[in-house]
Amino acid sequence: HTHKPNLVGYLFHSMRSFSLFSRESSSLLFLISLVLSQSLWLHVSSSAEVDDDANPVQMLIDAAMENTRVYERLAYLGDTFGPRFSGTTALEDAIEWAESLMHEEEGVINIAREPVMVPHWVRGDESLRMVAPREASLAMLGLGGSIGTDGPLTAEVLVVSSFDELAERAAEAKGRIVVYNVPFTTYSATSRYRRLGAVEAARVGAVASLTRSITDHSLYTPHTGSMSYEAGVPLIPAAAITVEDAAMFGRMTERGTTITLTLTMNAKTLDDALSHNLIGELPGTDLSDEIVVVGGHFDSWDVGTGMTDDAGGCLMALETLHLMNSLGLRPRRTVRAVFFTNEENGARGAAAYLSQHAHEVNRTVFALESDQGLSLPYGYSFQGNPAALPTLQALADHTKPALDLQVREGGAGVDIGPLCEAGVPGVGLLNDEFDGSGTDYFDVHHTMADTFDKIRLEDLRRSLAAVVSMVFQVANMEGTLPRIHDTDSE
């Protein structure tokens, strides 16, 4: 495998030993041997068992580290289509554009837009004003799914730092706007107040819920996100305010100052709208009936242009197909890029994909999702049978020294989560610890500031390298990763 000239000589002398050749035919035989050796060399260089000079994983990493196409396409996407919120024409136009990219991509087949009915929430005009102890216009963003205020809503504020404190002060909450001044710790812990804040406030008679934005660094930027209601509990409007204002309210109430706010929200929920998941495949070779999924979600919130959350994840998935095909590194298994819709406020795309592809679950051997921003990648979060961890770590180690990627147990992602729960081993690319440490992802998460200028080309390239290297290796490995359980799907 490491000495191509010797392979030529071996073929030539081996063939010659079985026949008698003239001097003229010997020249022809040498040319035939050379052609055969080139074919064999290409074959072995597409496996993982070759020397470093022809290592396909390194070839993919090198190509990713020089890539500019994803970066340029992200700029065009954000500049041209703007926010891509579920239910909007902008999202569907962007999906059609992405579909056209797939059709232009040599080797990509089975391109399809698969229908998904998605929620259609409209923000409408909104505002927040402090009317006492002084007049001030305050930044805010209504939370996805919230009702409106039916005109201006003016009430005094009750500031709490936890659900426990709210329960202890329930008698004070009636008729007030509850403000959750809860500092960011981890995303899962802090986002509870965004998701459930309106329900808990309504239980004790509050008229609205305001949540401190989920970030530990703020430049007076509110962060939106999904919220929920509960049957039997009154519906009240819910919004996010800035870290700065929540902290200010906390200080003011500690001094005994009474705060009065006027909240105006014209939010409403319309009938479900038609959207689409977008898929395209690079067909495999000898194991083409087995599938490796790679993707992200293509929708964004209605603020910002969703460059880090999560246009980059989708365009890296498509580029993964391009890099393998353009380098002649066809995978043994079929690799399917999926642009999921409606992750942000419903995850309907993930549910629809599982439903529409249930017959393929047992043949889907792996899934990878990128949806934690585009900062410097440091590993993968694995969801599945822990017995697969050593194998995945060994594959991740093949990216050294260009990358240093660690595999650990955890959730793989919202969009491939249903697949993982059905038994498919899956990983999510780790670009952020989800406690906000070390990156700026949560500085712009779900804000108007999630725009193209936040993307660092070198980090994007390394993220692409981490995605394509893992996908390629699993698509070509002998055997498959162990699963938690088998499904009934055929």
Side-chain angles (χ1 to χ4, degrees):
H1 290 190
T2 57
H3 301 289
K4 189 160 77 172
N6 289 348
L7 183 59
V8 177
Y10 174 79
L11 285 170
F12 175 74
H13 291 297
S14 295
M15 293 174 68
R16 193 174 186 185
S17 66
F18 289 95
S19 306
L20 296 176
F21 292 90
S22 66
R23 295 175 63 88
E24 293 80 7
S25 62
S26 294
S27 298
L28 177 61
L29 179 57
F30 181 82
L31 289 174
I32 293 172
S33 302
L34 180 61
V35 169
L36 287 172
S37 73
Q38 291 287 343
S39 176
L40 285 172
W41 182 254
L42 288 173
H43 174 74
V44 299
S45 68
S46 67
S47 73
E49 299 177 359
V50 295
D51 67 296
D52 289 341
D53 292 337
N55 187 324
V57 175
Q58 191 60 51
M59 291 169 62
L60 290 165
I61 291 173
D62 290 345
M65 297 297 282
E66 296 177 356
N67 186 278
T68 60
R69 195 164 74 155
V70 175
Y71 189 75
E72 293 162 356
R73 284 178 169 177
L74 279 169
Y76 180 85
L77 172 65
D79 295 345
T80 304
F81 300 101
R84 304 174 307 283
F85 194 45
S86 290
T88 65
T89 301
L91 172 59
E92 299 312 304
D93 288 348
I95 292 171
E96 289 185 10
W97 169 76
E99 182 183 19
S100 72
L101 295 183
M102 288 188 177
H103 281 292
E104 294 169 4
E105 194 65 62
E106 182 178 353
V108 176
I109 64 171
N110 297 331
I111 299 164
R113 281 185 292 153
E114 300 180 337
V116 184
M117 297 305 295
V118 300
H120 188 186
W121 180 78
V122 178
R123 177 176 303 281
D125 293 334
E126 57 187 15
S127 65
L128 179 66
R129 288 195 59 81
M130 181 164 60
V131 295
R134 59 182 173 86
E135 290 275 346
S137 179
L138 308 177
M140 56 82 70
L141 283 174
L143 297 180
S146 175
I147 64 169
T149 57
D150 193 21
L153 187 161
T154 300
E156 292 184 4
V157 165
L158 172 66
V159 180
V160 297
S161 60
S162 68
F163 287 142
D164 288 341
E165 183 182 356
L166 176 63
E168 292 170 1
R169 302 178 64 186
E172 304 174 53
K174 186 175 178 61
R176 292 193 176 187
I177 297 173
V178 169
V179 172
Y180 294 99
N181 180 29
V182 182
F184 183 86
T185 52
T186 66
Y187 187 70
S188 60
T190 316
S191 63
R192 294 172 59 238
Y193 294 92
R194 186 193 71 204
R195 296 192 315 271
L196 306 174
V199 171
E200 297 306 317
R203 287 190 203 279
V204 292
V207 295
S209 169
L210 299 179
T211 304
R212 174 171 165 154
S213 288
I214 304 172
T215 180
D216 59 347
H217 299 109
S218 178
L219 292 175
Y220 203 67
T221 306
H223 296 234
T224 191
S226 289
M227 54 82 64
S228 62
Y229 292 117
E230 184 178 310
V233 179
L235 309 187
I236 62 174
I241 59 175
T242 65
V243 168
E244 292 88 341
D245 284 339
M248 177 182 69
F249 293 157
R251 295 190 303 269
M252 293 170 74
T253 55
E254 286 177 359
R255 301 186 194 111
T257 303
T258 299
I259 305 165
T260 304
L261 301 177
T262 296
L263 175 66
T264 304
M265 294 175 59
N266 289 297
K268 56 186 176 180
T269 299
L270 306 179
D271 292 339
D272 285 357
L274 178 63
S275 186
H276 302 84
N277 289 330
L278 175 64
I279 66 172
E281 298 177 342
L282 183 64
T285 54
D286 60 313
L287 297 174
S288 61
D289 60 325
E290 297 181 0
I291 301 165
V292 172
V293 169
V294 56
H297 68 86
F298 207 45
D299 65 306
S300 73
W301 277 102
D302 58 332
V303 294
T305 55
M307 295 288 96
T308 67
D309 185 21
D310 179 36
C314 290
L315 292 179
M316 288 194 299
L318 178 56
E319 199 69 7
T320 292
L321 308 189
H322 169 76
L323 290 177
M324 289 188 291
N325 193 56
S326 64
L327 292 172
L329 300 174
R330 284 285 298 279
R332 299 179 66 195
R333 298 174 175 87
T334 295
V335 178
R336 176 182 293 165
V338 184
F339 290 28
F340 292 93
T341 193
N342 186 234
E343 186 269 353
E344 293 293 10
N345 65 325
R348 300 270 188 91
Y353 180 86
L354 180 62
S355 174
Q356 294 165 4
H357 295 270
H359 61 288
E360 298 172 335
V361 168
N362 280 346
R363 295 190 286 111
T364 303
V365 302
F366 183 67
L368 185 151
E369 177 176 346
S370 173
D371 185 22
Q372 289 192 15
L374 296 170
S375 300
L376 182 69
Y378 67 90
Y380 310 91
S381 179
F382 171 67
Q383 184 174 346
N385 189 332
L389 284 169
T391 299
L392 288 169
Q393 186 60 62
L395 299 181
D397 287 344
H398 290 163
T399 66
K400 292 181 177 179
L403 301 169
D404 185 8
L405 303 170
Q406 302 301 311
V407 184
R408 70 184 192 193
E409 288 189 85
V414 171
D415 288 308
I416 66 172
L419 281 174
C420 295
E421 291 169 5
V424 178
V427 300
L429 183 65
L430 290 171
N431 302 81
D432 191 278
E433 282 284 2
F434 264 43
D435 63 358
S437 63
T439 78
D440 54 13
Y441 179 53
F442 283 104
D443 293 3
V444 302
H445 184 247
H446 294 182
T447 74
M448 294 184 70
D450 185 359
T451 48
F452 175 74
D453 56 289
K454 307 307 184 303
I455 297 172
R456 293 180 291 270
L457 178 58
E458 291 308 310
D459 287 353
L460 175 62
R461 286 169 164 168
R462 285 174 169 81
S463 295
L464 176 61
V467 170
V468 67
S469 61
M470 180 60 77
V471 167
F472 175 79
Q473 290 184 91
V474 176
N476 284 277
M477 66 186 294
E478 292 295 333
T480 58
L481 297 167
R483 302 165 81 101
I484 289 180
H485 56 77
D486 292 327
T487 70
D488 295 329
S489 303
E490 293 296 332

